[in-house]
Amino acid sequence: MQLDINKDLDALTLTVVATFDHPVEEVWDLYADPRKLERWWGPPTYPATVVEHDLTAGGTVHYYMTSPEGEQHHGRWDVLEVDAPTSFSILDKFADADGNPADGMPEATMRLSIAGTSGGAQMTAVTTYASREALDQVLAMGMEEGLRTSMAQMDGVLAGA
């Protein structure tokens, strides 16, 4: 897998482009199958547990990552649109233990698309924040490195490891 992460502070975006030697449907399953999502969502030292997974328009995905110290960090996706197996868009939010949006925490809109290539598939995820402060906050929390280490696990999941 080739992975590029670009931040545009003026456009308030983080853009991830990943190229895989696997077909579109297999890359789609990294998000659509909650057990596969658990195997790569979150850095290796912060494994994810998916509590609720409804990747349909109007659905919700609730998950948490567990720190090495045992702390749970919850997140939630409010699913806006889905065109399986090529795209979806979500509102990405921090959440409390019940999966409710966390007050005062930044949220973002993420649009993910997957297109076939001659050798597999290319995934592009554009996450847009409402303000520079929100983007700066998640960057200070380690979002860029977290994305890099999380997504580096995708190839292993695709290979069945």
Side-chain angles (χ1 to χ4, degrees), residues 70-133:
E71 297 171 301
Q72 293 181 354
H73 303 279
H74 289 259
R76 167 192 177 114
W77 300 346
D78 291 341
V79 183
L80 303 172
E81 299 174 330
V82 176
D83 185 12
T86 59
S87 68
F88 66 83
S89 61
I90 60 168
L91 287 178
D92 187 7
K93 304 175 180 185
F94 290 87
D96 64 19
D98 295 321
N100 299 309
D103 292 332
M105 294 300 290
E107 59 182 61
T109 302
M110 194 227 345
R111 173 98 179 136
L112 180 130
S113 60
I114 305 168
T117 65
S118 61
Q122 183 174 70
M123 180 194 76
T124 303
V126 180
T127 304
T128 305
Y129 291 85
S131 68
R132 176 67 186 267
E133 293 77 22

Side-chain angles (χ1 to χ4, degrees), residues 7 9 12-14 92-94 105-108 127-129 131-147:
K7 59 184 173 232
L9 301 178
L12 308 176
T13 59
L14 283 174
D92 187 7
K93 304 175 180 185
F94 290 87
M105 294 300 290
E107 59 182 61
T127 304
T128 305
Y129 291 85
S131 68
R132 176 67 186 267
E133 293 77 22
L135 177 56
D136 286 345
Q137 185 176 359
V138 297
L139 289 172
M141 295 166 75
M143 177 69 75
E144 188 173 359
E145 183 60 23
L147 281 170

Side-chain angles (χ1 to χ4, degrees), residues 6-20:
N6 299 297
K7 59 184 173 232
D8 184 330
L9 301 178
D10 294 325
L12 308 176
T13 59
L14 283 174
T15 301
V16 176
V17 178
T19 306
F20 300 91

